[in-house]
């Protein structure tokens, strides 16, 4: 799996977890996958097939289905970053 695929898979795992309103700790308890492994996977550092299967099962999916969806989705959008010099108030961040 190349870097772009790892990032896409991590982003997809994070999206599914957030749709279910789960914390990473919730996913850990439902999947049996270590919290640190989940954090690394969501960051796009990759995940082995056994751990991916556990996460997919927590989402009521098959691991191959997750991989296929990640391939179709492509790269995640870039993170939005704002310079601290541009922040004038908390309200401007919500803007």
């Amino acid at each position: 799996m190349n870097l772009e695929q790892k990032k896409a898979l991590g982003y997809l795992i994070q999206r599914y977890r957030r749709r279910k309103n789960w914390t990473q700790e919730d996913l850990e308890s439902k999947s049996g996958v270590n919290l640190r492994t989940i954090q690394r996977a969501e960051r796009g550092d990759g995940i082995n097939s056994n751990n991916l299967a556990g996460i997919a099962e927590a989402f009521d999916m098959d691991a191959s289905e997750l991989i296929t969806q990640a391939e179709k989705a492509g790269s995640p959008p870039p993170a939005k970053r704002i310079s601290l010099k541009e922040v004038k108030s908390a309200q401007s961040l919500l803007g």
Side-chain angles (χ1 to χ4, degrees):
M1 198 177 281
N2 68 36
L3 181 61
E4 294 238 347
Q5 292 169 324
K6 289 177 185 178
K7 296 256 183 221
L9 183 60
Y11 184 69
L12 188 66
I13 290 170
Q14 185 180 71
R15 277 186 35 212
Y16 275 111
R17 177 180 60 78
R18 288 182 173 172
R19 279 185 191 164
K20 291 186 173 281
N21 268 344
W22 291 351
T23 62
Q24 290 177 331
E25 291 82 2
D26 293 332
L27 181 54
E28 175 187 34
S29 67
K30 293 172 189 318
S31 67
V33 175
N34 181 281
L35 175 62
R36 188 76 181 111
T37 301
I38 292 168
Q39 292 168 337
R40 288 180 181 138
E42 286 189 3
R43 192 173 55 233
D45 291 345
I47 188 167
N48 71 37
S49 58
N50 289 337
N51 288 330
L52 182 59
I55 289 173
E57 189 175 318
F59 294 142
D60 296 320
M61 304 175 81
D62 187 82
S64 62
E65 191 177 347
L66 260 179
I67 291 170
T68 301
Q69 287 185 21
E71 288 171 352
K72 287 181 184 175
S75 298
K80 183 176 180 183
R81 297 184 182 258
I82 301 171
S83 167
L84 286 177
K85 292 178 182 178
E86 295 175 35
V87 177
K88 294 180 174 66
S89 69
Q91 187 64 34
S92 68
L93 290 174
L94 301 174

